[in-house]
């Protein structure tokens, strides 16, 4: 077994590497972007857009406030993909087919008038717990849903020296001994209990595959159940 001080030394080196990686990330962000002379088509947006008719409503300020909180843009490589993401979000809570709903935190940040446009409802998650969300009542004349082309208009500035240093630091963390030290510093990984989750998934899959040994009539008559297997 290696002396403990070597392990502590490696952990100290990993902390230094991570600190430098954060600094590099900040420096790379500060480089900014370069505007392209010719934009490049990059998929489609499906979005909710407030129309000029919103000015006809007395509570237009509240409508705009709620509109700012709603997730209103979905991107896809094609129109079909954008539509699929849109339907997934709007059908997730089975309450509204047009406008995505908002959560409790978003609702709490609204003014009193904007809150009057929200209707609370509960839905059940996989763990059979009830969660609260809010259905947004934006008048149909105040918005419309449309597809918009998405373009890439800017390109990232790249500093070769920073990219090279970042790659060398990442390579250092993967070396023998340093990788184990890096894993030990990541305490949050134990919270997820990945091994237990994988074991349950494998056991469930094994039990379900075992149902192939029984006839359909036995399953329909509840003579056998994978939960008792």
């Amino acid at each position: 077994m290696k002396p403990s001080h070597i392990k502590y030394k490696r952990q100290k080196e990993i902390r230094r590497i991570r600190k430098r990686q954060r600094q590099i990330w900040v420096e790379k962000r500060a480089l900014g972007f370069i505007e392209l002379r010719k934009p490049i088509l990059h998929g489609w947006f499906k979005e909710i857009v407030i129309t000029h008719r919103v000015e006809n409503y007395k509570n237009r300020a509240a409508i705009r406030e709620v509109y700012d909180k709603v997730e209103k843009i979905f991107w896809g490589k094609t129109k079909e993909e954008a539509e699929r993401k849109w339907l997934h979000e709007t059908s997730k809570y089975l309450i509204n087919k047009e406008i995505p709903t908002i959560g409790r935190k978003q609702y709490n940040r609204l003014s009193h008038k904007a809150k009057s446009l929200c209707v609370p409802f509960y839905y059940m998650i996989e763990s059979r717990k009830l969660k609260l969300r809010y259905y947004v009542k934006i008048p149909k004349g105040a918005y419309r849903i449309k597809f918009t082309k998405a373009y890439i208009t800017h390109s990232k500035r790249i500093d070769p020296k920073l990219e090279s240093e970042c790659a060398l630091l990442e390579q250092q963390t993967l070396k023998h001994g340093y990788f184990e030290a890096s894993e030990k510093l990541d305490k949050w990984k134990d919270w997820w209990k990945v091994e237990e989750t994988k074991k349950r998934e494998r056991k469930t899959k094994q039990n379900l595959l075992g149902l192939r040994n029984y006839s359909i009539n036995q399953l329909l008559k509840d003579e056998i159940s994978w939960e008792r297997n």
Side-chain angles (χ1 to χ4, degrees):
M1 184 175 178
K2 294 182 180 180
S4 59
H5 69 275
I6 295 179
K7 296 179 181 179
Y8 295 144
K9 185 177 179 181
R10 287 173 177 170
Q11 289 181 7
K12 185 177 179 180
E13 181 66 15
I14 290 296
R15 292 189 185 96
R16 185 195 67 79
I17 290 173
R18 291 183 177 180
K19 182 179 179 180
R20 179 55 187 157
Q21 285 177 328
R22 290 192 293 269
Q23 291 173 350
I24 291 174
W25 180 79
V26 172
E27 292 176 16
K28 288 168 69 174
R29 281 180 61 89
L31 292 174
F33 296 87
I34 303 172
E35 187 175 357
L36 300 177
R37 285 182 289 181
K38 186 178 180 181
I40 303 172
L41 181 63
H42 186 61
W44 292 81
F45 289 119
K46 185 171 183 182
E47 57 182 337
I48 305 172
V49 180
I50 290 292
T51 65
H52 65 280
R53 294 181 181 177
V54 72
E55 299 299 329
N56 298 333
Y57 296 88
K58 293 181 180 179
N59 60 343
R60 53 184 174 272
I63 293 174
R64 291 186 182 278
E65 186 180 353
V66 171
Y67 171 76
D68 290 337
K69 297 294 182 184
V70 172
E71 187 175 358
K72 45 190 169 288
I73 298 178
F74 295 87
W75 175 86
K77 291 182 180 179
T78 61
K79 283 186 176 181
E80 290 75 17
E81 184 179 348
E83 177 71 22
R84 189 163 57 250
K85 290 181 179 179
W86 175 276
L87 292 175
H88 173 73
E89 182 65 24
T90 54
S91 64
K92 189 186 297 183
Y93 309 107
L94 303 177
I95 190 68
N96 189 2
K97 295 182 179 180
E98 290 188 346
I99 302 177
T101 55
I102 63 175
R104 183 182 295 180
K105 290 183 179 179
Q106 294 169 308
Y107 174 81
N108 291 337
R109 297 191 188 103
L110 296 173
S111 64
H112 180 72
K113 287 187 177 180
K115 287 181 179 179
S116 64
L117 296 174
C118 302
V119 179
F121 69 94
Y122 287 91
Y123 67 99
M124 188 173 291
I125 59 176
E126 293 179 357
S127 59
R128 302 187 66 81
K129 292 182 179 179
L130 291 176
K131 291 287 185 178
L132 176 64
R133 286 190 74 83
Y134 295 85
Y135 160 60
V136 179
K137 298 185 298 181
I138 298 179
K140 287 194 173 182
Y143 74 92
R144 68 189 182 95
I145 300 171
K146 67 172 186 175
F147 284 99
T148 308
K149 290 182 179 180
Y151 289 94
I152 297 176
T153 59
H154 291 73
S155 176
K156 280 186 177 180
R157 294 183 186 273
I158 297 176
D159 188 338
K161 292 182 179 179
L162 291 178
E163 296 294 335
S164 177
E165 185 180 358
C166 186
L168 288 173
L169 292 174
E170 183 64 27
Q171 186 179 6
Q172 179 70 17
T173 61
L174 298 177
K175 288 183 179 180
H176 177 68
Y178 289 91
F179 179 78
E180 290 77 9
S182 178
E183 289 288 305
K184 192 171 183 179
L185 290 175
D186 292 335
K187 299 293 184 182
W188 59 270
K189 290 189 176 181
D190 296 333
W191 299 350
W192 294 94
K193 298 183 180 179
V194 178
E195 288 300 324
E196 287 77 6
T197 303
K198 288 183 178 180
K199 286 180 182 178
R200 287 197 299 269
E201 289 176 353
R202 285 196 293 266
K203 185 176 180 181
T204 301
K205 186 176 181 181
Q206 184 180 3
N207 290 337
L208 288 172
L209 290 174
L211 294 178
R212 295 182 298 182
N213 301 326
Y214 302 93
S215 65
I216 296 177
N217 290 331
Q218 286 177 304
L219 296 175
L220 292 176
K221 294 178 181 179
D222 292 333
E223 295 180 7
I224 190 68
S225 172
W226 71 271
E227 294 178 343
R228 298 195 299 269
N229 246 345

